[in-house]
Amino acid sequence: MFNQESFRLGATGSAIRELFEYGKKRKQEIGEDNVFDFSIGNPSVPSPDIVKNTLIYLLQNTEATKLHGYTSASGDNGVKKAIADYLNQKYDVKIKDSLIYLTCGAAASLTISLKALLNQDEEVIVFAPFFPEYKVFTENALGKLVVVGYDDKFLPDFCDFEKKISNKTKCVIINSPNNPTGVVYSEDIIKKLVSILKKKEDEYQHSIYLISDEPYRELVYGNVTVPFVTKYYDNTIICYSFSKSLSLPGERIGYILVNPNCLHSNEVFKCICGAGRSMGFICAPSIFQYLIPSCLGLTSDLKVYEENRNILYKELTSYGYDVIKPEGAFYLFVKALDEDAVKFSEYAKKYELLLVPSDSFGCGGYLRISYCVSKKQIVNSLPAFKKLIEEYRK
Amino acid sequence: MFNQESFRLGATGSAIRELFEYGKKRKQEIGEDNVFDFSIGNPSVPSPDIVKNTLIYLLQNTEATKLHGYTSASGDNGVKKAIADYLNQKYDVKIKDSLIYLTCGAAASLTISLKALLNQDEEVIVFAPFFPEYKVFTENALGKLVVVGYDDKFLPDFCDFEKKISNKTKCVIINSPNNPTGVVYSEDIIKKLVSILKKKEDEYQHSIYLISDEPYRELVYGNVTVPFVTKYYDNTIICYSFSKSLSLPGERIGYILVNPNCLHSNEVFKCICGAGRSMGFICAPSIFQYLIPSCLGLTSDLKVYEENRNILYKELTSYGYDVIKPEGAFYLFVKALDEDAVKFSEYAKKYELLLVPSDSFGCGGYLRISYCVSKKQIVNSLPAFKKLIEEYRK
């Protein structure tokens, strides 16, 4: 028969995408405005105008065969240089354009990086709660996922981390600002994490790669800053996507960046080229490559997300929900009123609230609310949230 | 260490892309016009105007969050319906939109289809000469490539084919119009191939899937027609790309289509969804999805390629080269003057002629000329071709 693992992955779908599909169907049944779909991280704030203007400019002023033609498999050199220059100036680092690989978004960045590094049965450490597809992507590269626990602030449980690093550990994935909690790792947290990694590299006498999954790097609120990880740890690979910062999730554009200080950085980059090649990722969508130099460092209007966060946090707290205040990304992690988050997510559907249960994120008992939706949806959903807690507590 | 197979694939590169990179470097050294780069299938004819006009229209008239937002993982339903309707009308078939999966181009279509179907060590049959990445894509899905020989017209050696189908054969890949020969399989050839497949399915009592890789479906010359394979064989999966027909290779847009008559077609489609998910292919670039309905059945101006073909075929034959006249695609397969095509390709570089040796296509002794270049390049290259054969024969 056909491949059973592919069948399983296709038949079950991801919990997020299942709920997203349910929401689309439900909206057709009872109307767009009557479904409070908080399932998916599909940005609700339009791309900044420069995206549209640059794309139209490129279409009107670039020879079509160049604009839509193949670039090098790893991307256009000019674009890679622009990215390196931007990062070097902004973060005071020495990124090399020759170690940047343009990809079809964050998912591709991760599958490529993992396939580049992993040998069969090697281990990838992630910190719960984590983006569920990390498991799928790790297994695609024939690796094994190892899950580390969290403390009361949803930060890594470092004791557990130390225990779980083994001779088979090849990579550690971090994701800050975090999906699904909105937590941002401070410089102290990064330093603590890195000190353990270095100790374990010495102990086991081999490299452990830190893969920093950063689609939300620019999405932070207030004075929160996101440390640039290559400054703290040499064997770092950054997986970036423009999906969230520029509200372009459907267009699939991002990059992988190997820290020039990484041991054997050129060889690691070759592995990335080879892994991309083997899965058929050659040349990220070209017009979106050429868009990047005009948009580096820009974001959609983050105030909208911040306002959504503030309303939701304030109101849900006042109704009696137990909520973590997010410092970044556009997710709110709220404690389920039932120990069984899946059951509670089902129950919430009665109020047309689509909330992703936390089980597939590697921790039970919570729900993820993607608040990258219209303010109107936030405001209109509040009575439903109120009713939900009141009814459920009866 | 990192993954050795990824390293090998990244360090060696494909012969085509290596030569393409050499060409880019060489052009910088001695000027664009002085290098006759016939290495890559990067269309030289601009996209039809409707591509630019539709993209600008979409940018100006669609809400950005919708235009650039995630579609369903398998693609936008309206777009899938448009594709199904077009195919059903054009080929008098009954394709279902629910069995179409939009992808990031032909390479993605193939890697996804293979990963959907193959279990470890199952076999994939290809017909030499074949696109070299079939081997890479098959091995990515843990399968084994089995190569079948060709006859004097570069059509399948059917005796060899019968012999090589085994109990482990899971798929057969065909590619017509063919890269690298330009040969098109007639209805008779398809029927012959299918009759063998059916016999072997009966013999081994399991499905053998025919994967039809069709990026060149519309690129045929004169009265040549390309049979629509689902009409002849139930267990067919079509891998299509708009890269070549619409001159959009850099934008990565294509689709996979499962024949509704395929045994367990819905389950096969689920496998495709799962395989796409595992490699991080969710949602093909959205603006290019929305472009498709306006461009179905359209092509760039194929007369340009036909003229290039005619000039090259006539002149190279007159100089004494042994050339197969292509009926489709934009490749000319020419016999190397040395038994060692790699050596001869190196020699041709002296005349700034960049021709891909046939070895990586699974057959020795030939060179592939991609004639999707400007007419000027064709005309200017003729003295070099003439000199090459004259000097080499001395």
Side-chain angles (χ1 to χ4, degrees):
Chain A
M1 280 302 268
F2 24 75
N3 185 284
Q4 291 304 305
E5 177 60 8
S6 291
F7 180 73
R8 190 186 65 76
L9 288 174
T12 54
S14 83
I16 299 166
R17 288 219 159 243
E18 296 263 293
L19 205 59
F20 175 56
E21 296 299 333
Y22 168 85
K24 288 214 289 192
K25 224 181 90 205
R26 190 70 184 137
K27 283 172 192 171
Q28 279 176 356
E29 287 165 14
I30 63 166
E32 190 98 10
D33 288 350
N34 300 316
V35 182
F36 308 120
D37 181 358
F38 295 102
S39 67
I40 205 168
N42 212 354
S44 56
V45 181
S47 311
D49 283 346
I50 194 168
V51 167
K52 177 165 98 177
N53 296 339
T54 306
L55 289 172
I56 292 175
Y57 180 87
L58 286 168
L59 285 161
Q60 285 174 335
N61 295 282
T62 319
E63 225 179 300
T65 49
K66 155 101 176 122
L67 184 61
H68 303 305
Y70 285 125
T71 65
S72 293
S74 62
D76 178 77
N77 285 334
V79 175
K80 293 199 264 182
K81 195 167 176 316
I83 294 171
D85 288 350
Y86 165 75
L87 294 174
N88 290 338
Q89 198 178 3
K90 168 143 186 168
Y91 297 105
D92 190 23
V93 286
K94 286 181 177 160
I95 300 306
K96 285 187 190 165
D97 50 340
S98 60
L99 296 176
I100 291 175
Y101 188 100
L102 289 158
T103 63
C104 296
S109 299
L110 288 164
T111 57
I112 293 170
S113 298
L114 290 168
K115 188 151 195 241
L117 296 172
L118 288 175
N119 294 294
Q120 187 150 13
D121 294 332
E122 285 181 335
E123 293 171 357
V124 176
I125 290 184
V126 296
F127 299 97
F130 60 90
F131 181 54
E133 300 302 273
Y134 290 164
K135 183 168 195 295
V136 178
F137 299 161
T138 297
E139 287 170 1
N140 175 63
L142 308 180
K144 286 191 175 163
L145 199 79
V146 173
V147 180
V148 166
Y150 48 91
D151 69 12
D152 55 350
K153 287 174 179 157
F154 283 97
L155 288 166
D157 173 343
F158 286 116
C159 286
D160 194 31
F161 182 44
E162 276 210 55
K163 269 186 244 157
K164 293 217 169 123
I165 298 176
S166 80
N167 191 32
K168 286 196 160 183
T169 306
K170 178 57 78 64
C171 323
V172 173
I173 303 178
I174 58 170
N175 172 223
S176 161
N178 184 261
N179 172 9
T181 62
V183 164
V184 176
Y185 289 4
S186 67
E187 191 176 39
D188 280 351
I189 293 293
I190 297 290
K191 282 182 173 165
K192 176 83 188 150
L193 192 142
V194 160
S195 75
I196 294 171
L197 279 177
K198 285 181 180 162
K199 197 174 81 181
K200 291 291 181 176
E201 279 194 329
D202 283 347
E203 184 181 332
Y204 292 118
Q205 285 292 301
H206 68 74
S207 300
I208 302 175
Y209 298 92
L210 183 59
I211 296 180
S212 185
D213 177 26
E214 305 186 354
Y216 305 100
R217 192 198 294 152
E218 282 82 13
L219 273 72
V220 287
Y221 308 114
N223 294 322
V224 173
T225 55
V226 181
F228 199 72
V229 187
T230 64
K231 295 173 99 158
Y232 303 89
Y233 190 66
D234 286 346
N235 290 330
T236 293
I237 292 170
I238 289 179
C239 291
Y240 186 79
S241 164
F242 295 91
S243 290
K244 315 292 179 173
S245 56
L246 292 175
S247 298
L248 292 172
E251 307 296 5
R252 324 306 300 139
I253 187 77
Y255 61 78
I256 302 167
L257 178 166
V258 177
N259 188 356
N261 296 329
C262 178
L263 192 66
H264 306 302
S265 58
N266 290 324
E267 285 75 11
V268 171
F269 189 75
K270 286 202 173 95
C271 292
I272 284 168
C273 295
R277 181 183 166 196
S278 73
M279 290 186 283
F281 287 110
I282 36 97
C283 174
S286 51
I287 195 173
F288 290 97
Q289 290 191 41
Y290 298 123
L291 167 70
I292 292 174
S294 307
C295 299
L296 288 161
L298 302 179
T299 65
S300 304
D301 183 3
L302 302 186
K303 289 217 184 73
V304 181
Y305 300 135
E306 192 164 10
E307 197 181 3
N308 285 353
R309 175 193 74 151
N310 292 345
I311 298 172
L312 266 184
Y313 179 74
K314 188 175 156 234
E315 297 300 326
L316 264 55
T317 307
S318 80
Y319 304 155
Y321 287 99
D322 187 354
V323 181
I324 303 157
K325 188 167 190 178
E327 295 185 295
F330 38 48
Y331 306 105
L332 197 81
F333 215 47
V334 53
K335 199 162 185 182
L337 301 175
D338 192 291
E339 271 189 19
D340 184 344
V342 176
K343 191 176 141 199
F344 189 66
S345 166
E346 272 306 311
Y347 186 82
K349 278 185 186 168
K350 279 194 210 165
Y351 302 84
E352 307 302 343
L353 288 166
L354 308 189
L355 317 173
V356 182
S358 61
D359 299 68
S360 55
F361 295 96
C363 85
Y366 283 79
L367 297 159
R368 187 190 78 167
I369 299 174
S370 295
Y371 58 81
C372 49
V373 298
S374 66
K375 185 181 164 186
K376 191 176 125 192
Q377 180 180 324
I378 300 276
V379 173
N380 289 348
S381 72
L382 294 174
F385 275 111
K386 194 157 185 242
K387 220 163 160 184
L388 172 65
I389 196 168
E390 285 170 358
E391 296 280 325
Y392 206 81
R393 287 204 164 155
K394 268 185 194 166
Chain B
M1 281 302 269
F2 24 75
N3 186 283
Q4 290 305 305
E5 177 61 7
S6 290
F7 180 73
R8 190 186 65 77
L9 288 173
T12 54
S14 82
I16 298 167
R17 287 218 159 244
E18 296 262 293
L19 205 60
F20 175 58
E21 296 299 332
Y22 169 86
K24 287 213 290 194
K25 224 180 91 204
R26 190 70 184 137
K27 283 172 191 171
Q28 279 176 356
E29 287 166 13
I30 64 166
E32 190 98 10
D33 288 350
N34 300 315
V35 182
F36 308 119
D37 181 359
F38 295 102
S39 67
I40 204 169
N42 213 354
S44 57
V45 181
S47 309
D49 283 346
I50 194 167
V51 167
K52 178 165 98 178
N53 296 339
T54 306
L55 290 172
I56 292 175
Y57 180 86
L58 287 168
L59 285 161
Q60 285 174 334
N61 296 283
T62 318
E63 225 179 300
T65 49
K66 154 99 176 127
L67 183 62
H68 303 305
Y70 286 125
T71 65
S72 291
S74 61
D76 178 77
N77 285 334
V79 174
K80 292 200 265 183
K81 191 163 179 321
I83 293 171
D85 288 349
Y86 165 75
L87 293 174
N88 290 339
Q89 197 177 5
K90 169 146 184 164
Y91 296 106
D92 190 23
V93 286
K94 287 181 176 158
I95 301 306
K96 287 186 190 164
D97 51 337
S98 59
L99 295 176
I100 291 175
Y101 188 100
L102 288 158
T103 63
C104 295
S109 300
L110 288 164
T111 56
I112 292 170
S113 299
L114 290 167
K115 187 148 195 246
L117 296 172
L118 288 174
N119 295 293
Q120 187 150 12
D121 294 332
E122 287 181 334
E123 293 171 355
V124 176
I125 291 184
V126 296
F127 299 97
F130 61 91
F131 182 54
E133 300 302 271
Y134 290 163
K135 184 168 195 295
V136 177
F137 299 161
T138 297
E139 287 169 2
N140 175 63
L142 308 180
K144 286 191 175 162
L145 199 78
V146 174
V147 180
V148 166
Y150 49 90
D151 69 11
D152 56 350
K153 288 175 179 157
F154 283 98
L155 287 166
D157 174 343
F158 285 116
C159 286
D160 195 30
F161 182 43
E162 277 210 55
K163 268 185 244 156
K164 292 215 170 124
I165 299 177
S166 80
N167 191 31
K168 286 194 159 185
T169 305
K170 178 58 78 63
C171 324
V172 174
I173 304 178
I174 58 170
N175 173 222
S176 161
N178 184 261
N179 173 9
T181 62
V183 164
V184 177
Y185 289 3
S186 67
E187 191 176 39
D188 281 350
I189 294 292
I190 297 291
K191 283 182 173 168
K192 175 86 187 149
L193 191 142
V194 160
S195 74
I196 294 170
L197 279 177
K198 286 181 181 164
K199 198 175 80 181
K200 291 290 181 178
E201 280 194 327
D202 283 346
E203 185 181 331
Y204 292 119
Q205 285 292 301
H206 69 74
S207 300
I208 302 175
Y209 298 92
L210 182 58
I211 297 180
S212 185
D213 177 26
E214 305 186 353
Y216 306 100
R217 192 197 296 152
E218 282 82 13
L219 274 72
V220 287
Y221 308 113
N223 294 322
V224 173
T225 55
V226 181
F228 199 72
V229 188
T230 64
K231 296 172 97 158
Y232 304 89
Y233 189 66
D234 286 347
N235 291 330
T236 292
I237 292 170
I238 289 180
C239 292
Y240 185 79
S241 164
F242 295 91
S243 290
K244 315 292 178 172
S245 56
L246 292 175
S247 298
L248 292 171
E251 307 296 7
R252 321 308 299 139
I253 186 77
Y255 60 80
I256 302 168
L257 178 166
V258 177
N259 187 355
N261 297 329
C262 178
L263 192 67
H264 306 301
S265 58
N266 290 325
E267 286 75 10
V268 170
F269 189 75
K270 286 202 173 93
C271 292
I272 284 167
C273 295
R277 181 183 167 196
S278 72
M279 291 186 283
F281 287 110
I282 34 96
C283 174
S286 51
I287 195 173
F288 289 99
Q289 290 191 42
Y290 297 123
L291 167 70
I292 290 174
S294 308
C295 299
L296 288 161
L298 303 180
T299 65
S300 304
D301 184 2
L302 302 185
K303 290 217 183 73
V304 180
Y305 299 135
E306 191 164 11
E307 196 182 3
N308 284 354
R309 175 193 75 150
N310 292 344
I311 297 171
L312 265 184
Y313 180 74
K314 185 172 158 236
E315 297 301 326
L316 264 56
T317 307
S318 81
Y319 304 155
Y321 287 100
D322 187 354
V323 182
I324 303 157
K325 188 168 189 178
E327 296 185 295
F330 37 49
Y331 305 106
L332 197 81
F333 215 46
V334 53
K335 199 161 188 184
L337 301 174
D338 193 290
E339 271 188 17
D340 184 344
V342 176
K343 191 176 142 198
F344 189 67
S345 166
E346 272 306 311
Y347 187 82
K349 278 185 185 167
K350 279 194 211 166
Y351 301 85
E352 308 301 345
L353 288 165
L354 308 188
L355 316 173
V356 181
S358 61
D359 299 67
S360 55
F361 295 94
C363 85
Y366 284 79
L367 297 159
R368 187 189 79 166
I369 300 174
S370 294
Y371 58 81
C372 48
V373 298
S374 67
K375 184 180 165 188
K376 190 176 127 194
Q377 181 180 321
I378 299 276
V379 172
N380 288 349
S381 72
L382 293 174
F385 276 111
K386 194 158 185 241
K387 220 163 161 185
L388 172 65
I389 196 169
E390 285 169 0
E391 295 280 328
Y392 206 81
R393 289 205 161 152
K394 266 182 194 166

